[in-house]
């Protein structure tokens, strides 16, 4: 169970969009909420006379950062819950946050995908992508967009968990299950069957034969998903499964995520290249950019092994010619 949740803030309303969701999860998990800012000092001065001005300005910036964090802590604290702490860090933004995550035994990071605030000139634009490579703690990413921030999850809503048939792909299952159990959500395990190669030219397959093969792959995907859902149900976690045939994995997931009862999406990435080199192709990056729902991104702690696929989660392969 998550015991400590970290929210990076930079003084912008964009970054603050993550606060209501983080506070709701902290209350549900009885976790401590940590609000952090990374101090970015002003440019170093030239000359002894300017040094005194620089020191004074830097101290004022630090005081402003501390006051801002305390203000935000008071904003999310209700009836003593959640317990909120604040800290200002020093150093490169992503590196300072990653180090604090490890030192403070943080179990979840909740943040918006980018922001640019008055207290810090350089902030969350690429920080989320860097953190995916630097930590194994799950990141719940809230899209930076206009309008009201995402509403806290309500009981009975769903968490979509796309799976591709690999152990690495399944790394998001446990964090998603923990959040679902704490928030009263249910899981929907999704596998997208892509028919494109089967219906291409020059394959030597008639259309009915191709359709039969896609149906077989869809059935295999359902069997795989049922096998992944059963251990969750044995622990009292509501989990259903959905295998669908679509040309585009991202479009299919975005379409599913627009349903009113979807609270968030959870998926894994190997993290070597951040979000842009996701386990499911570029799915994680595209979902973070386009999904209206928060996206939980999980990087497995170990290298993991790719499990032998039933064909339903990958593109169907071209049959061998004899």
């Amino acid at each position: 169970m998550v015991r400590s949740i970290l929210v990076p803030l930079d003084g912008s309303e964009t970054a603050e969009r993550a606060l209501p969701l983080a506070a709701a999860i902290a209350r549900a998990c009885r976790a401590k909420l940590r609000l952090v800012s990374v101090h970015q000092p002003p440019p170093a001065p030239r000359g002894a006379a300017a040094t005194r001005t620089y020191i004074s300005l830097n101290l004022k910036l630090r005081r402003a950062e501390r006051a801002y964090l305390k203000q935000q802590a008071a904003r999310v604290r209700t009836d003593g819950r959640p317990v909120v702490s604040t800290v200002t860090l020093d150093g490169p933004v992503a590196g300072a946050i990653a180090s604090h995550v490890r030192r403070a035994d943080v179990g979840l990071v909740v943040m918006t995908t980018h922001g640019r605030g008055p207290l810090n000139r350089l902030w969350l634009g690429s920080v989320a992508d860097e953190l995916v490579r630097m930590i194994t703690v799950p990141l719940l990413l809230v899209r930076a967009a206009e309008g009201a921030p995402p509403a806290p999850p309500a009981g009975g809503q769903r968490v979509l968990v796309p799976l591709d048939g690999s152990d690495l792909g399944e790394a998001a299952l446990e964090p998603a299950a923990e959040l679902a159990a704490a928030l009263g959500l249910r899981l929907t395990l999704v596998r997208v069957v892509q028919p494109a190669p089967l219906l291409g030219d020059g394959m030597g397959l008639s259309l009915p034969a191709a359709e039969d093969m896609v149906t077989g792959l869809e059935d295999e995907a359902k069997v795989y998903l049922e096998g992944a859902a059963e251990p969750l149900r044995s622990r009292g976690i509501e989990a259903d499964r959905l295998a669908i045939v679509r040309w585009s994995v991202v479009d299919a997931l975005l379409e599913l995520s627009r349903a009113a009862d979807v609270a968030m999406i959870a998926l894994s990435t190997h993290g070597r290249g951040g979000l842009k080199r996701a386990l499911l192709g570029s799915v994680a990056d595209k979902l973070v950019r386009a999904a209206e729902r928060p996206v939980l991104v999980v990087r497995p702690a170990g290298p993991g092994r790719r499990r032998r696929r039933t064909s339903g989660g990958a593109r169907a392969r071209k049959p061998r010619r004899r």
Side-chain angles (χ1 to χ4, degrees), residues 160-167 169-170 188-194 214 216-228 240-246 248-249 252-253 256 280 306-317:
L160 298 182
V161 187
L163 298 174
D164 69 348
S166 71
D167 291 339
E170 292 172 9
T188 296
L189 312 186
V190 182
R191 195 161 184 183
V192 181
V193 178
Q194 295 176 278
V214 171
L217 296 177
E218 187 177 6
D219 291 340
E220 289 181 2
K222 290 177 182 177
V223 172
Y224 162 72
L225 292 173
E226 185 65 26
D240 55 23
R241 52 151 175 86
L242 178 63
I244 55 176
V245 178
R246 291 288 190 279
S248 166
V249 174
L253 295 175
L256 292 172
L280 303 174
R306 186 165 288 272
R307 168 184 299 187
R308 184 179 183 274
R309 291 174 182 247
T310 57
S311 301
R315 289 185 178 271
R317 294 181 179 178

Side-chain angles (χ1 to χ4, degrees), residues 73-311:
R75 171 185 167 190
V76 299
R77 189 187 295 115
T78 305
D79 297 328
R81 285 286 178 182
V83 175
V84 187
S85 67
T86 64
V87 61
T88 302
L89 308 174
D90 289 281
V93 177
I97 294 173
S99 296
H100 187 73
V101 164
R102 291 187 286 268
R103 289 195 309 269
D105 195 26
V106 170
L108 175 68
V109 176
V110 184
M111 62 186 294
T112 48
T113 50
H114 72 267
R116 190 176 293 274
L119 299 183
N120 296 296
R121 295 175 304 282
L122 180 62
W123 244 88
L124 301 177
S126 61
V127 173
D129 191 62
E130 291 183 59
L131 284 177
V132 170
R133 298 194 298 269
M134 299 173 76
I135 64 176
T136 56
V137 170
L139 278 82
L140 184 55
L141 300 175
V142 178
R143 182 185 174 199
E146 295 181 357
Q157 286 189 299
R158 292 186 292 155
V159 180
L160 298 182
V161 187
L163 298 174
D164 69 348
S166 71
D167 291 339
L168 286 174
E170 292 172 9
L173 273 176
E174 189 58 32
E178 288 188 9
L179 280 182
L183 296 168
L185 308 177
R186 53 196 174 94
L187 299 181
T188 296
L189 312 186
V190 182
R191 195 161 184 183
V192 181
V193 178
Q194 295 176 278
L198 284 176
L199 302 182
D201 295 332
M203 304 295 289
L205 290 173
S206 65
L207 185 59
E211 291 176 347
D212 288 344
M213 190 171 292
V214 171
T215 299
L217 296 177
E218 187 177 6
D219 291 340
E220 289 181 2
K222 290 177 182 177
V223 172
Y224 162 72
L225 292 173
E226 185 65 26
E230 189 55 38
L232 299 170
R233 295 185 192 128
S234 67
R235 294 161 49 190
I237 299 169
E238 290 189 64
D240 55 23
R241 52 151 175 86
L242 178 63
I244 55 176
V245 178
R246 291 288 190 279
W247 297 95
S248 166
V249 174
V250 172
D251 289 346
L253 295 175
L254 288 175
E255 180 182 335
L256 292 172
S257 72
R258 294 188 188 105
D261 65 343
V262 172
M264 65 184 70
I265 307 168
L267 77 169
S268 63
T269 174
H270 59 52
R272 294 174 202 154
L275 296 174
K276 295 180 181 179
R277 293 174 180 254
L279 180 64
L280 303 174
S282 58
V283 173
D285 178 58
K286 291 178 180 177
L287 285 177
V288 167
R289 293 173 183 273
E292 298 175 5
R293 304 291 187 261
V295 180
L296 183 71
V297 180
V298 180
R299 182 171 73 88
R305 256 187 225 172
R306 186 165 288 272
R307 168 184 299 187
R308 184 179 183 274
R309 291 174 182 247
T310 57
S311 301

